[in-house]
Amino acid sequence: ASFEISLHKADNTTVSIKLRPGLSPSCRIRRKNVIGSELKIKPGENVIFTFTCSTPEKYFIMEIQKNIDCVTGPCPFGDVHLYPPGLPRLNRTYVWDVKASTKAGLELKFSTPWLRQIEPGESCPDSISYNINSSIDRATVNIGTFCRNGSVSRVKLLGGVVMSLHLPWHSLLTTSGFNIANRASIKRLCIIESILKGESSITLMSPNYPLGFPEDELMTWQFVIPPNMRASVFFHNYSLSNCERKEERVEYYIPGSPSNPEVFKLSDSQPANIAGSFNMSLQGCDQDAQNPGILRLLFQVIVQHPQVDENVTHLVDLSKEKNMTVTIHSEGWPSHMPLMSEPICLICKDPRTCDRVLTLASGAVYRISFLCKDLSQLRITAEKGIGCMDIRWCQGKVYSLSVPKAIILLPIRLHKFIWKLLATDMINVEITSPSLKLQQHVPEQRCNTSYSYSIVSATPQTELNVGVFCPGGSIEKIQMRNNITISLKTFGKGFINESIHQDLKMSFVPHIKDECTFTVSPNSKAKVYLQTPSWPYGLPPYVSVSWFIVVPSKQTARLGFSRDRMGVACETGRAYLNIKEETSGAEEIVRREDELLPQPRNMRHNFWVNVSNCKPVDKTQLTLQFWVTFADKQIDLGIILAVVAGAGVLTAIGLTVFCVKKKKKKTQNPMVGVYNANVNTQIPGKKGLFGKGRQNNESHVYAVIDDAVVYGHLLKESNGSVAPEVDVYRPFDGPIGSLPPSPPPFSFRKDIKRSSNTEEEPLPLTDTDQDTYTFAHQKSGQSEDNGDENKKDKGDTSVPLLENKEQDGLVE
């Protein structure tokens, strides 16, 4: 197909067709008998041409430029047309170069749907874009690039303007969409007017963005907003130049404001909750010639309906809090911020200071309000620091780790409350939950409460993720070394009700041996699962953790492990598991990392479980999980029979003694301890010095002992009778051990013997040992041979304690 383009000389329009940059001339232009790759048609020419291919839009672009001189002649004001008609369907650019005096102003007025400014490099959805440049004294300033469907209705410029319209080859647009009008001088670089209807937002940039705003220039944005709407301004990106004179600033003219213009720095929070229309101006400065810097600005204006509770303020009293911050933000902050096109929620700490994120510091009282249709989009994140540098000032103080009521009462969901507990190396942290207790979140026993605690112990060298815990478990106390971070995280709306019962408390304590120690007091009917910290990534190297399990007096605990091995291979040192009951003479069970873990076993007393790690080989980690259940203690049948038999014997002895006493009282001739001179009465000594053991001789056996025997020179008489003291059980009230079993040092652990396979040798008898006297009647002919030791020496080694004459004086 052939094309004919006829240009009138008076139109001062030039048409140029040329190849796209970077393409080979596979398609050409044929004009008469001349074939070429470019074609330029000047004013007053009439040209007929064809293309040598059927798809010229793939190879060629076209530019139509019209020069308008408003300095020496009249300007053709009014609607701007797309001229000339009948152009081939190529990607084309219309350029209107209007020259005008700086004493006058030009206005570009756009028809609906108006324009929307875009950032450099961004493209328009329909590929139709406008570019506006201001031309003053041969200097060109890029006002911006715009797409259709926006809120920019007019652009007023000082001096000349170069206006470009880019159309794709398939566009059916037949009108330019704007007109040009003459205006008086605006005394500034430009004025951009934006009409915002209903809830909406607009993003705008300073001229030349992202390059610098012209030196010492002034420009204005006019925002036309319905009086029943509210507007807020947010600066998203800006930079400042190096000023020699004046100061870069933003000025607002707000109708009804008592202090117009209101001046702000670019670093200030900009006005929000503005009722109705307003103007905003950007003022540059005189820049340093050697180092000018760049002044640039990208900002957003958001228009919203006033809220039903717009005038409702919420009191946030943080006056009694210390080292705490409260941040109100949108969901997903800070990793995710809502798109500028999305409806947003604003938090206001006064009627004109609103933002998407608001941080409140402790020590003050705030009255905040919200500009938000749906408050469920907002969240609260709070952080509180508690420190101790000297244990003398901190020990004994108990700190409550509960969320303040000032936060709970806000109509915003708490997302996270973080406590940072800081102390020196020799001061540790103890966390308690006296009534609710804590449950460790494990795969077999998941938390289903409305909130949980994540606990991390950290030093510059290592980080120990203690675990995730929730209320309603068995852990009464956790002691940890180093600096601790406790994060309370909520799930759902139930936290408001459950927060009433918070009882987590913290105190600083002296240095502890292990990195972490748990005190567990389970419910008698519960099955408790516990696992090592940093699950499932493994306990850090050389870290030791202990659990102290409380066993009720009338119950027996059963301890078992979820796997048969620790799952770690050691590069340096050894990993150990130690189990020990807290009772006298209890055996200590020790297992190395290369040994099988113990089978499930019963524990009748409180007991310790200790795990200490080595330096693992790569790709192996120490992860250990165990469980504890409880059952009532079962009394053995043999024990019951022995008790019954013992009771019968005691009853018989009691009757015999009673009868003897009655008989003695009748004769009034009591016998007084008949001494047996044929038995050994020497004080027991060490083994080897005493010929017979106490069980093999009769030095502690008396023929008869009557209750009427009185030693007057040893006892103090009160009313003529003495009540001899008998054996009474007294419970031990001294200190007992409260430390976990100590794992052997890494260098000696390989020599440890398994106590489960050997028995400890009893300690030798000392001179201070107390023996129990037995009341019995000696039978003639009773064997005294009781062991190999007695067979070696059957001689009488007794030495009389009293001479015969002394005995005659004592025995009647």
Side-chain angles (χ1 to χ4, degrees), residues 16 84 118 127 189 209 212 223 313 346 406 489 545 554 567 748:
S16 300
I118 61 173
S127 300
L189 177 63
Y209 187 89
F223 299 99
T313 58
L346 300 179
K489 188 174 182 180
V545 182
K554 296 183 179 180
F748 295 104

Side-chain angles (χ1 to χ4, degrees), residues 551 555-559 601-604 607 628-631:
V551 180
Q555 290 191 311
T556 299
R558 188 160 182 83
L559 169 67
R601 58 189 297 113
N602 293 333
M603 314 293 284
R604 296 181 175 275
F607 63 95
V628 181
T629 59
F630 291 91

Side-chain angles (χ1 to χ4, degrees), residues 383-387 418-422 483-486 508:
E383 183 175 307
K384 182 179 178 66
I386 303 175
I418 303 170
W419 290 274
K420 292 193 172 180
L421 314 178
L422 308 177
N483 297 326
I484 310 300
T485 299
I486 302 176
F508 293 102

Side-chain angles (χ1 to χ4, degrees), residues 766-780:
T766 63
D767 289 19
T768 58
D769 288 340
Q770 300 293 325
D771 290 292
T772 303
Y773 284 86
T774 305
F775 301 92
H777 292 278
Q778 179 68 36
K779 295 181 181 179
S780 61

Side-chain angles (χ1 to χ4, degrees), residues 12 42 57 62 84 86 114 162 210 220 223 304 327 376 416 438 451 497-498 501 543 546 566 619 637 676 696 701 772:
N12 204 13
K42 299 179 180 179
E57 66 275 6
M62 181 166 52
W114 300 324
V162 178
T220 299
F223 299 99
Q304 297 172 286
T327 302
S376 65
K416 188 178 289 187
L438 296 177
Y451 65 100
N497 296 325
E498 293 188 12
H501 307 290
V543 167
S546 292
M566 296 187 203
K619 298 183 180 179
L637 181 60
N676 186 355
N696 301 329
V701 178
T772 303

